[in-house]
Amino acid sequence: MAVYILSNRKIIRHKGERVDSFSNEEYSIPNFRIAKCDFENYKEPTAQAKKKKDYTNRNILHYKLLSEPEKQGYEEVLDVLLSEKGIKSSPLTANNLGGTQRMFYELYKNMSSTKDRSDVLIFIHGYLYDFDDELKAILDLKKVFIDNPASPVEHILFVSWPASGSIIPLSYFDDKASSINSGTSLVRLFYFYTQFLKDIFSNRDLAPCNQRIHLMAHSLGNRVLQSMLYSLKRENILRVIDQVLLLNADVSYKVFEDSEDSFNKLPLLANRISIYLNRQDIILGASQFTKNILTPRLGKNGPSDIAHYKDIVSVIDCTFVKDDLLDSFKYEVGNHWGYLSSSQVQKDIFQNLYGIDRNLITSRSKDSENVFTIIS
């Protein structure tokens, strides 16, 4: 099990600490840095600890930034892997690897060491998260997707982008701009991953691990994904993702149209795309009427036209689900966090991640060829 943070937040050193940390500031840097979370000595904080003013940064969850690689590319990763197999002699070890080299190496080693499902979930968070909020969200995601035996996920890559922690109205537009910048940075990470695949598996002595990688974006995190897709050139896209789950997406309902030239690239990237929507989503309703010039939101209204992609893209209506896991005012009123608050939505997501045929996923009614409603 491994959880990594991929962040383009500013790097700072907190007072009294000897190591670099990610900042809570609403400021992005051009490149993503990578950190690995440490759960070995993790203890669930008490309610009293959570109220303390020092319940920030590593007091929430310990993590360590990976060193930057001394050399770009993945030839050194290949040397280490072949050396470990006794195929090639090399003075290099895993300790010589940094950044994406170290992360991809560790994931490949872990995922290829088992015959059981050991999937990776890439998660892009939404609006109104400072870094401390992100650390708390990582703990929630671990409980739902790693600790739960009903889930095939064993590893999480948490995409941390510098959203605002403020609830003032203008912070939405700050977050929207930041999501665009972060999506552009995320493109580079995608190209690093495809280069890793080419460099490693061009060698016949190394076999793919046959595990799956999934991508999940919630709320304004879909805007980060859209920005990445804008920048991706079709001829460079490889189908390296199994399932893409778009949760309560705060993007235009027209994103799959060719004129948008963004989400219409997803079928080139993934085997299946699922749009989870809630027609009573209060958060997206406010987004539509106060911030997006009355443009219907994908996660509330569904897509305008996906006829070309109906074999790959599914719409899952979560309007009638029960929020039986989290009962705070935020979750009861917002109808925006079903993946955390509803056991029905979670059960549907797990079946999706396992790759069960969309027509065979339980507790769904079929409204049309590719439109479903989750029922009790």
Side-chain angles (χ1 to χ4, degrees):
M1 183 275 291
V3 177
Y4 298 89
I5 303 171
L6 287 62
S7 183
N8 64 333
R9 287 183 175 275
K10 184 179 178 181
I11 304 296
I12 61 171
R13 182 160 294 186
H14 289 284
K15 185 178 181 180
E17 293 185 354
R18 297 183 180 180
V19 292
D20 290 337
S21 300
F22 291 118
S23 170
N24 261 327
E25 296 177 33
E26 303 159 34
Y27 179 85
S28 62
I29 59 177
N31 300 321
F32 274 82
R33 286 291 304 272
I34 299 172
K36 187 175 182 180
C37 297
D38 176 17
F39 292 96
E40 186 174 347
N41 300 312
Y42 175 74
K43 293 182 180 179
E44 182 74 27
T46 63
Q48 183 178 8
K50 292 180 180 180
K51 291 181 181 179
K52 289 185 177 180
K53 293 182 179 180
D54 64 350
Y55 184 61
T56 60
N57 202 39
R58 288 181 174 82
N59 290 329
I60 300 171
L61 174 62
H62 192 270
Y63 61 93
K64 181 180 180 181
L65 270 76
L66 302 185
S67 62
E68 289 288 83
E70 296 180 3
K71 182 180 178 181
Q72 297 300 317
Y74 300 98
E75 292 181 5
E76 293 187 346
V77 180
L78 180 60
D79 285 349
V80 172
L81 291 171
L82 293 177
S83 176
E84 291 175 346
K85 282 181 168 286
I87 298 171
K88 178 181 180 180
S89 177
S90 173
L92 299 176
T93 68
N95 291 330
N96 296 107
L97 306 177
T100 57
Q101 296 173 344
R102 184 64 180 259
M103 181 178 71
F104 293 154
Y105 162 83
E106 291 180 353
L107 286 173
Y108 173 71
K109 292 281 288 186
N110 289 331
M111 295 168 73
S112 58
S113 65
T114 177
K115 293 182 180 179
D116 296 328
R117 287 292 290 269
S118 179
D119 293 1
V120 172
L121 175 64
I122 304 170
F123 184 87
I124 310 176
H125 69 80
Y127 166 55
L128 213 61
Y129 279 74
D130 63 21
F131 185 67
D132 288 344
D133 293 327
E134 291 174 354
L135 292 176
K136 296 170 188 175
I138 288 172
L139 295 173
D140 291 336
L141 289 170
K142 179 179 178 291
K143 290 178 183 177
V144 174
F145 292 102
I146 294 180
D147 298 343
N148 193 331
S151 168
V153 172
E154 191 175 4
H155 315 284
I156 293 175
L157 307 187
F158 187 91
V159 178
S160 156
W161 58 278
S164 169
S166 170
I167 61 173
I168 61 173
L170 288 179
S171 64
Y172 179 90
F173 299 102
D174 293 337
D175 281 4
K176 196 169 182 179
S178 181
S179 70
I180 296 171
N181 295 334
S182 301
T184 304
S185 299
L186 198 58
V187 171
R188 299 185 63 190
L189 194 66
F190 173 80
Y191 285 137
F192 285 153
Y193 176 61
T194 56
Q195 188 61 50
F196 169 81
L197 295 178
K198 292 175 182 177
D199 289 351
I200 300 303
F201 299 126
S202 61
N203 189 294
R204 296 182 179 181
D205 294 310
L206 297 175
C209 62
N210 294 321
Q211 304 292 352
R212 297 168 178 82
I213 297 176
H214 313 292
L215 174 63
M216 183 182 295
H218 177 245
S219 191
L220 200 61
N222 285 267
R223 190 64 186 78
V224 176
L225 177 60
Q226 185 179 30
S227 178
M228 169 186 154
L229 292 168
Y230 278 143
S231 302
L232 275 181
K233 296 181 179 180
R234 290 177 179 273
E235 60 269 22
N236 294 332
I237 298 178
L238 298 178
R239 185 171 279 110
V240 294
I241 304 294
D242 186 32
Q243 309 289 329
V244 171
L245 282 68
L246 311 176
L247 310 175
N248 304 78
D250 192 0
V251 289
S252 166
Y253 73 127
K254 295 183 178 182
V255 288
F256 280 93
E257 295 183 9
D258 289 342
S259 59
E260 286 284 331
D261 197 34
S262 57
F263 280 47
N264 61 348
K265 297 176 184 176
L266 280 177
L268 301 174
L269 181 69
N271 292 325
R272 187 163 75 184
I273 299 104
S274 299
I275 303 168
Y276 284 80
L277 61 84
N278 191 315
R279 301 189 188 280
Q280 297 179 359
D281 191 315
I282 301 299
I283 306 300
L284 294 185
S287 172
Q288 174 180 332
F289 286 101
T290 65
K291 305 177 181 72
N292 287 288
I293 319 176
L294 304 182
T295 303
R297 313 319 287 159
L298 178 67
K300 178 176 172 65
N301 302 84
S304 59
D305 182 13
I306 52 172
H308 295 305
Y309 313 111
K310 60 183 180 182
D311 293 336
I312 299 175
V313 181
S314 301
V315 177
I316 299 96
D317 191 336
C318 306
T319 304
F320 306 105
V321 303
K322 298 177 181 178
D323 291 319
D324 56 340
L325 298 177
L326 300 172
D327 56 2
S328 68
F329 180 79
K330 167 184 173 180
Y331 296 107
E332 287 183 348
V333 175
N335 297 313
H336 188 63
W337 293 272
Y339 73 101
L340 291 177
S341 62
S342 171
S343 61
Q344 293 171 278
V345 176
Q346 289 182 8
K347 183 179 178 182
D348 196 278
I349 288 174
F350 295 154
Q351 293 179 83
N352 238 336
L353 296 179
Y354 267 111
I356 295 174
D357 185 288
R358 64 186 180 183
N359 295 298
L360 300 178
I361 292 178
T362 59
S363 300
R364 282 183 177 184
S365 66
K366 187 172 182 178
D367 303 329
S368 64
E369 183 178 357
N370 65 325
V371 179
F372 304 85
T373 297
I374 297 180
I375 57 177
S376 302

